[in-house]
């Protein structure tokens, strides 16, 4: 039998630059799912393309990207000549920590166009939420202010985040707070999200994923842009940016100013956010010097406590129990009873705010010694300072190291007061990479040395009874000093046009010292040092031009963060480091109208730190090493061009996330001790068995897009006990995004945006916490859930000139 495919043709050709064939050049059909890399002789081939008009985009480092239109109505063979860039471009700057086209691991690239389309004031986590295995949450309920996310169930403290290869994670806590850099998205060129251990990078170990952000790269033409958006909850965003373009073929200056305000969905969960970004560059044929200075200020009203489940469920008796069991004061209990069930906020003090500023200074130098060898180095300094302010009712003087006040007729032992807990920190260091890429070999030698010096202290700024104590009395202070040294070597060897071998070896040395007392007046003095070896190996196989297979195995080690160390009970051995062994096996297929990929992962942990219910001597929860735990699953991605103007993109993750031989501890208020129970194999908290995203993208006319987005997140346990009384229920939400661009005599481009979130007004929660206790022979709980907003809107307009 002979099968004939009507209207399908092949496109082949060769890519050259300065008369030489360019191996590894990227050849992409714009608007389709099809993209290939050229073979060692610079040739490429695309098979079984439908008869149509196409735009071909061809790029290679060191050459100008070229776009060409072609009508494919028969088999065609073409030759493409790329012009060399008159100046170096910044792709090299971040290449050392990025996965490349034939790096054998699971990753997703998000372009500036995709970010711009979604950026209407929400934080970066909300702009990345459509990537696989990604679950996002917002304290204020609408994506402005404090936001958080998990990837494959892994929390943000275990996800490495870097900007231009420089660590963004706080070195002590390992956390990343994007609210500290509001609207950084408006200065982002692209983002790469690597899932699993990923490639070696600088900063905190990647235990579930790493996120690499690149800020704006060279724009050769002068430009100016103004974006404004407004929406529900009195949310406003205004961004002004401008650039000189390339002056005298050597110099550039780019600036951005942003301001975002919002009342938030939760009561009083307001945000007042400001930021700026300034970048100056010097470019020549072989060198780049670039200076980035960016800063963010945030003042957000605290919405950290969540909404108790008894308030969410309108359980009046349960709310009264909070007062009866002294979980809340009588006033707090009555306030909860009188509040709305989904927007309730425990805090009512008018200045219960988080107030923080963070300044970043980066100097990058890149030099090309030859077409095959280049060197990057970066110096960086980050200064952060701020506090969160709290009203405290009836605090004992002794808890603040103060003497009681003797009035002669009365002994005063407690007072109402307002305190501020401060963080004042410096983070500085150097990163470098030496890169060699010639014929079959792609080699990188890199590393960095970073120092974190953080002061933690607390002041009393008001008290009902102050006695002889001075205003701004400091009742505690401690310092954390952390030094982090790492070296890595990466080698990708091309055996032939179909097969690549990959090796990545990293050595990491950490020294961490803490001195001083904490807010409970405990002595925190301690020292820790770690030496880690983190090997990674992989194979990438391309049986045909539009299919690929890869196998990746990696080991990562992670030191405990500050909280794990300082909350550990006195007299006990400190927690030990966690170890992750990560296996990834992937397959991908692309054509002009269809794309599919599948990635299987098995992440096996030794000594993972989890919450078990155990507490320290002052009642704070502690992280405990559990012997064995794992995450395993399959990530699927699909793209289909249903019609010329309609595309459907989707991704889904099916997973199992388990702790073996888990023991729970619960406070027994009747005995003053903790009660333990061995629960056997349980589910890891906040790890849904299914996460899925869907996007229908309809372009009825040129420069108009209508996007219907759906997200489903399965049930999540909020502790590690697998108890159905302590869960986040599964949720399914739908959003609509529309944008339309046009030109005028005054503006180069005007774009109108409309976003409708939670279209069907679904009630759901994305995060929670729980504390359990026994009293009178019964088990009770105190908890907090984080409801997200119902249907809400944003409208925006961008002017480019």
């Amino acid at each position: 039998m002979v099968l004939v495919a009507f209207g399908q043709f092949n496109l082949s050709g060769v890519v050259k630059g300065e008369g030489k064939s360019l191996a590894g050049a990227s050849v992409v059909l714009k608007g389709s799912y099809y993209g290939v890399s050229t073979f060692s002789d610079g040739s490429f081939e695309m098979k079984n393309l439908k008869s149509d008009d196409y735009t071909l985009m061809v790029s290679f480092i060191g050459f100008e990207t070229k776009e060409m239109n072609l009508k494919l109505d028969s088999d065609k063979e073409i030759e493409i000549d790329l012009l060399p860039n008159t100046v170096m471009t910044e792709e090299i700057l971040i290449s050392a920590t990025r996965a490349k086209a034939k790096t054998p691991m699971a990753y997703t690239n998000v372009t500036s166009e995709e970010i711009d389309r979604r950026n209407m004031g929400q934080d970066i986590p909300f702009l990345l939420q459509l990537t696989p295995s990604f679950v996002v949450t917002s304290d204020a309920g609408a994506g402005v202010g404090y936001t958080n996310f998990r990837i494959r169930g892994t929390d943000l403290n275990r996800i490495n985040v870097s900007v231009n290869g420089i660590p963004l994670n706080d070195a002590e806590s390992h956390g990343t707070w994007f609210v500290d850099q509001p609207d950084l998205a408006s200065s982002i060129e692209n983002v790469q999200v690597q899932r699993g251990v990923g490639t070696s990078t600088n900063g905190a170990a990647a235990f579930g994923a790493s996120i690499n952000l690149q800020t704006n790269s060279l724009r050769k033409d002068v430009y100016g842009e103004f974006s404004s958006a407004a929406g529900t909850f009195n949310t406003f965003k205004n961004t002004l940016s401008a650039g000189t373009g390339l002056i005298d073929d050597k110099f550039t200056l780019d600036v951005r100013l942003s301001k975002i305000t919002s009342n938030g969905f939760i009561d009083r969960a307001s945000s007042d956010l400001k930021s700026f970004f300034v970048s100056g560059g010097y470019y020549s044929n072989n060198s780049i010097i670039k200076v980035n200075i960016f800063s963010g200020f945030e003042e957000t009203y605290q919405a950290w406590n969540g909404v108790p489940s008894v308030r969410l469920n309108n359980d009046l008796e349960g709310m009264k129990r909070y007062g009866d069991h002294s979980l809340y004061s009588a006033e707090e209990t009555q306030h909860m009873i009188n509040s709305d069930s989904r927007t309730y906020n425990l805090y009512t003090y008018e200045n219960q705010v988080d107030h923080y500023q963070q300044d970043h200074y980066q100097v990058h130098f890149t030099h090309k010694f030859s077409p095959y060898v280049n060197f990057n180095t970066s110096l960086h300094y980050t200064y952060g300072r701020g506090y969160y302010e709290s009203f405290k009712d009836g605090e004992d003087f002794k808890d603040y190291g103060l003497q009681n006040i003797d009035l002669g007729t009365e002994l005063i032992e407690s007072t109402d007061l307002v305190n501020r807990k401060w963080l004042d920190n410096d983070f500085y260091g150097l990163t470098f990479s030496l890169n060699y890429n010639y014929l079959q070999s792609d080699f990188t030698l890199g590393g960095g040395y970073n120092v974190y010096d953080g002061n933690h202290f607390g002041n009393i700024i008001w008290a009902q009874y102050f006695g002889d104590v001075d205003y701004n009395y400091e009742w505690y202070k401690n310092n954390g000093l952390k030094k982090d040294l790492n070296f890595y070597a990466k080698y990708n060897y091309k055996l032939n046009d179909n097969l690549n071998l990959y090796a990545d070896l990293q050595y990491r040395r950490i020294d961490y010292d803490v001195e001083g007392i904490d807010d409970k007046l405990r002595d925190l003095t301690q020292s820790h040092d770690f030496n880690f070896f983190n090997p990674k190996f992989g194979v990438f196989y391309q049986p045909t031009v539009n299919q690929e297979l890869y196998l990746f195995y990696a080991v990562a080690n992670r030191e405990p963060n500050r909280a794990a160390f300082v909350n550990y009970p006195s007299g006990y051995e400190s927690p030990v480091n966690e170890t992750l062994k990560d296996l990834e096996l992937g397959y991908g297929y692309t054509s002009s109208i269809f794309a599919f990929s599948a990635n299987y992962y098995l992440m096996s942990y030794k000594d993972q730190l989890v919450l078990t219910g155990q507490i320290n001597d002052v009642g704070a929860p502690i992280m405990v090493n559990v012997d064995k735990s794992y995450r395993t699953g399959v990530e699927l991605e699909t793209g289909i061009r249903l019609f010329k103007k309609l595309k459907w993109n989707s991704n889904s993750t099916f997973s199992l996330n388990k702790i073996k031989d888990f023991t729970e501890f619960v406070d027994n208020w009747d005995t003053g001790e903790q009660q333990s129970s061995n629960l056997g194999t349980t589910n890891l908290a906040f790890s849904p068995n299914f996460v899925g995203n869907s996007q229908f993208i309809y372009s009825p006319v040129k420069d108009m897009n209508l996007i219907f987005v759906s997200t489903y997140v399965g049930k999540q346990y909020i502790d590690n006990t697998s108890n159905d009384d302590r869960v986040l229920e599964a949720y399914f939400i739908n959003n609509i995004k529309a944008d339309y661009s046009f030109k005028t005599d005054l503006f180069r481009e005007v774009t109108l945006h409309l976003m409708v979130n939670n279209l069907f007004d679904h009630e759901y929660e994305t995060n929670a916490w729980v504390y359990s206790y026994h009293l009178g022979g019964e088990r009770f709980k105190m908890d907090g859930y984080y409801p997200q907003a119902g249907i809400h809107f944003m409208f925006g307009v961008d002017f480019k000139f």
Side-chain angles (χ1 to χ4, degrees):
M1 185 195 318
V2 177
L3 296 177
V4 179
F6 293 98
Q8 291 189 334
F9 305 104
N10 299 330
L11 174 65
S12 60
V14 63
V15 178
K16 293 183 177 182
E18 298 184 302
K20 297 180 181 179
S21 299
L22 298 178
S26 172
V27 183
V28 176
L29 288 178
K30 287 189 68 175
S32 80
Y33 299 102
Y34 211 169
V36 297
S37 296
T38 56
F39 296 119
S40 55
D41 60 355
S43 66
F44 70 92
E45 185 176 20
M46 294 179 168
K47 294 184 176 182
N48 301 324
L49 300 178
K50 293 176 63 177
S51 176
D52 207 342
D53 294 323
Y54 292 99
T55 299
L56 199 66
M57 185 170 70
V58 185
S59 60
F60 189 77
I61 291 178
F63 291 83
E64 293 184 3
T65 298
K66 184 172 185 177
E67 291 189 7
M68 56 185 299
N69 299 319
L70 58 90
K71 183 176 182 62
L72 193 64
D73 51 13
S74 63
D75 290 347
K76 282 193 176 179
E77 185 172 351
I78 59 177
E79 181 175 305
I80 303 165
D81 288 308
L82 299 184
L83 298 175
N85 270 316
T86 56
V87 296
M88 284 188 67
T89 54
E90 280 113 323
E91 296 98 330
I92 294 173
L93 191 146
I94 49 117
S95 63
T97 56
R98 285 282 178 105
K100 302 175 184 178
K102 295 186 178 182
T103 306
M105 62 184 60
Y107 65 91
T108 301
N109 290 322
V110 184
T111 65
S112 58
E113 290 80 6
E114 293 173 278
I115 294 170
D116 291 344
R117 186 181 295 168
R118 303 170 191 171
N119 183 15
M120 298 184 69
Q122 291 180 308
D123 222 340
I124 284 179
F126 277 76
L127 306 184
L128 301 180
Q129 65 177 319
L130 297 180
T131 58
S133 304
F134 201 104
V135 177
V136 67
T137 184
S138 166
D139 284 9
V144 179
Y146 271 87
T147 58
N148 210 320
F149 63 88
R150 294 181 176 86
I151 298 178
R152 293 183 178 175
T154 302
D155 63 75
L156 187 48
N157 291 341
R158 290 174 168 88
I159 295 172
N160 176 283
V161 183
S162 62
V163 178
N164 302 323
I166 292 170
L168 191 60
N169 300 73
D170 180 85
E172 272 198 302
S173 69
H174 299 184
T176 304
W177 292 274
F178 290 100
V179 69
D180 294 342
Q181 290 301 321
D183 202 28
L184 180 60
S186 291
S187 296
I188 293 296
E189 182 71 20
N190 56 66
V191 181
Q192 183 175 93
V193 181
Q194 298 176 15
R195 300 186 297 281
V197 170
T199 65
S200 290
T201 186
N202 301 297
F207 250 53
S210 57
I211 296 178
N212 187 309
L213 304 108
Q214 181 189 0
T215 56
N216 289 348
S217 59
L218 171 65
R219 295 178 68 167
K220 293 186 177 181
D221 299 319
V222 63
Y223 69 92
E225 298 175 1
F226 175 69
S227 300
S228 185
T232 317
F233 315 121
N234 286 323
T235 301
F236 295 95
K237 171 186 178 288
N238 290 287
T239 302
L240 178 65
S241 56
T244 62
L246 196 58
I247 301 173
D248 294 331
D249 288 332
K250 290 187 183 302
F251 302 98
T252 62
L253 179 65
D254 300 272
V255 298
R256 172 185 59 80
L257 295 171
S258 300
K259 181 173 175 58
I260 302 171
T261 57
S262 178
N263 289 346
F265 168 65
I266 300 297
D267 295 342
R268 296 173 297 285
S270 60
S271 297
D272 183 4
L273 315 175
K274 306 178 185 72
S275 70
F276 72 82
F277 184 94
V278 179
S279 179
Y282 167 81
Y283 298 82
S284 70
N285 289 337
N286 296 312
S287 297
I288 301 173
I289 300 174
K290 191 160 188 178
V291 178
N292 295 331
I293 301 173
F294 53 102
S295 176
F297 167 80
E298 60 90 4
E299 186 167 272
T300 56
Y301 195 94
Q302 295 169 28
W304 302 339
N305 211 57
V307 178
S309 57
V310 291
R311 175 63 279 181
L312 274 176
N313 298 326
N314 295 311
D315 177 2
L316 180 59
E317 292 304 312
M319 286 187 277
K320 290 179 178 179
R321 173 177 58 81
Y322 269 59
D324 295 340
H325 290 186
S326 300
L327 302 173
Y328 280 6
S329 68
E331 292 83 359
E332 289 171 336
T333 302
Q334 192 59 49
H335 168 60
M336 175 169 59
I337 292 171
N338 294 337
S339 296
D340 181 85
S341 62
R342 296 196 62 76
T343 65
Y344 161 72
N345 189 344
L346 168 66
Y347 304 117
T348 57
Y349 168 57
E350 63 180 0
N351 205 45
Q352 190 89 16
V353 298
D354 179 70
H355 177 109
Y356 194 77
Q357 181 168 333
Q358 192 175 76
D359 307 326
H360 295 255
Y361 305 87
Q362 300 180 350
V363 180
H364 304 280
F365 173 70
T366 300
H367 181 72
K368 182 171 67 175
F369 293 100
S370 75
Y372 320 113
V373 180
N374 63 75
F375 176 74
N376 301 308
T377 188
S378 300
L379 293 169
H380 67 88
Y381 171 64
T382 301
Y383 176 43
R385 67 278 190 196
Y387 59 83
Y388 65 91
E389 186 171 315
S390 301
F391 173 80
K392 298 293 183 179
D393 180 20
E395 294 286 276
D396 291 339
F397 284 120
K398 63 182 176 64
D399 292 338
Y400 290 81
L402 295 172
Q403 300 295 318
N404 296 332
I405 300 175
D406 190 349
L407 300 180
T409 58
E410 181 183 3
L411 183 67
I412 299 176
E413 299 178 286
S414 63
T415 180
D416 296 347
L417 58 82
V418 175
N419 66 36
R420 286 178 175 173
K421 292 185 176 181
W422 281 83
L423 176 62
D424 189 311
N425 58 70
D426 302 277
F427 178 60
Y428 53 90
L430 173 146
T431 65
F432 74 92
S433 66
L434 178 67
N435 309 287
Y436 171 80
N437 190 345
Y438 182 65
L439 297 179
Q440 289 86 6
S441 296
D442 187 351
F443 175 76
T444 297
L445 175 66
Y449 180 68
N450 302 299
V451 178
Y452 175 92
D453 189 352
N455 290 312
H456 307 256
F457 58 96
N459 301 123
I460 299 175
I461 65 168
W462 175 87
Q464 183 182 12
Y465 304 105
F466 234 143
D468 295 329
V469 178
D470 293 334
Y471 168 78
N472 230 23
Y473 164 75
E474 184 177 278
W475 89 91
Y476 77 91
K477 186 171 185 177
N478 62 79
N479 173 266
L481 180 63
K482 186 172 185 178
K483 301 174 182 178
D484 186 341
L485 171 70
N486 90 95
F487 296 100
Y488 57 81
K490 305 177 184 181
Y491 187 45
N492 196 328
Y493 182 71
K494 185 177 182 180
L495 285 175
N496 53 51
D497 284 333
N498 304 101
L499 186 63
N500 286 59
L501 303 180
Y502 178 81
D504 181 344
L505 307 176
Q506 183 191 47
Y507 166 76
R508 209 173 155 230
R509 164 80 186 189
I510 300 110
D511 294 287
Y512 181 47
D513 299 294
V514 184
E515 293 182 347
I517 60 172
D518 70 358
D519 60 334
K520 302 297 183 182
L521 308 183
R522 295 186 309 142
D523 183 9
L524 300 181
T525 302
Q526 53 191 285
S527 294
H528 307 276
D529 59 82
F530 299 90
N531 290 279
F532 295 141
F533 176 60
N534 302 316
K536 310 167 184 69
F537 303 98
V539 179
F540 183 94
Y541 178 60
Q542 196 169 20
T544 65
V545 292
N546 59 347
Q547 294 187 81
E548 61 186 42
L549 288 159
Y550 61 81
L551 176 67
F552 181 69
Y553 179 77
V555 177
N557 292 278
R558 174 183 180 267
E559 74 279 15
N561 64 10
R562 171 187 167 87
F565 280 132
V566 303
N567 286 341
Y568 230 67
S570 301
Y572 285 74
E573 290 187 9
S574 295
V576 300
N577 67 278
E578 307 168 283
T579 299
L580 167 62
K581 297 178 180 178
D582 179 24
L583 176 69
E584 311 264 342
L585 176 64
Y587 168 78
Y589 171 85
T590 57
S591 73
S592 61
I593 61 170
F594 178 70
F596 171 79
S597 68
N599 181 73
Y600 166 76
Y601 64 89
L602 172 60
M603 300 167 64
S604 178
Y605 302 89
K606 172 68 175 173
D607 294 323
Q608 183 177 189
L609 284 161
V610 303
L611 291 171
T612 64
Q614 287 181 268
I615 59 174
N616 65 14
D617 46 346
V618 294
I622 64 173
M623 301 289 284
V624 177
N625 294 110
V626 294
D627 185 34
K628 294 181 180 180
S629 54
Y630 67 88
R631 302 180 187 277
T632 186
V634 176
E635 296 165 323
L636 306 175
E637 294 185 78
T638 304
I640 304 174
R641 196 171 192 88
L642 298 169
F643 304 102
K644 188 169 183 177
K645 297 181 178 180
L646 179 64
K647 291 195 298 185
W648 178 50
N649 297 329
S650 68
N651 61 67
S652 55
T653 301
F654 303 84
S655 66
L656 294 173
N657 310 274
K658 301 290 185 179
I659 300 175
K660 296 183 178 180
D661 195 27
F662 178 73
T663 298
E664 180 195 24
F665 292 81
V666 180
D667 284 359
N668 190 321
W669 288 12
D670 296 318
T671 65
E673 299 176 344
Q674 286 206 301
Q675 182 175 318
S676 64
S677 303
N678 186 281
L679 304 181
T681 298
T682 61
N683 291 283
L684 279 162
F686 303 107
S687 301
N689 290 342
F690 177 77
V691 177
N693 294 294
S694 166
Q695 288 187 85
F696 285 95
I697 305 170
Y698 178 53
S699 304
V701 297
K702 185 181 179 182
D703 298 321
M704 175 180 280
N705 293 292
L706 304 173
I707 306 173
F708 184 75
V709 179
S710 302
T711 296
Y712 182 91
V713 177
K715 181 176 75 172
Q716 304 172 66
Y717 294 98
I718 66 174
D719 64 14
N720 294 301
T721 64
S722 297
N723 191 298
D724 285 335
D725 185 48
R726 296 181 288 279
V727 298
L728 290 167
E729 298 295 345
Y731 56 88
F732 179 59
I733 54 172
N734 298 273
N735 307 323
I736 288 180
K737 178 73 171 68
D739 54 76
Y740 175 61
S741 300
F742 57 92
K743 295 178 173 59
T744 70
D745 293 337
L746 182 60
F747 298 105
R748 176 167 54 88
E749 185 176 273
V750 178
T751 303
L752 304 177
H753 302 273
L754 174 65
M755 183 167 64
V756 184
N757 291 321
N758 198 358
L759 181 64
F760 301 116
D761 205 27
H762 180 60
E763 292 187 352
Y764 68 108
E765 299 82 43
T766 55
N767 201 8
W769 60 269
V770 64
Y771 164 73
S772 297
Y773 62 96
H774 292 283
L775 181 63
E778 293 186 61
R779 178 166 175 157
F780 299 96
K781 64 180 179 179
M782 180 185 187
D783 56 22
Y785 285 73
Y786 296 84
Q788 304 300 287
I791 186 171
H792 56 290
F793 308 84
M794 285 293 290
F795 174 78
V797 58
D798 302 338
F799 300 96
K800 296 182 179 180
F801 46 90

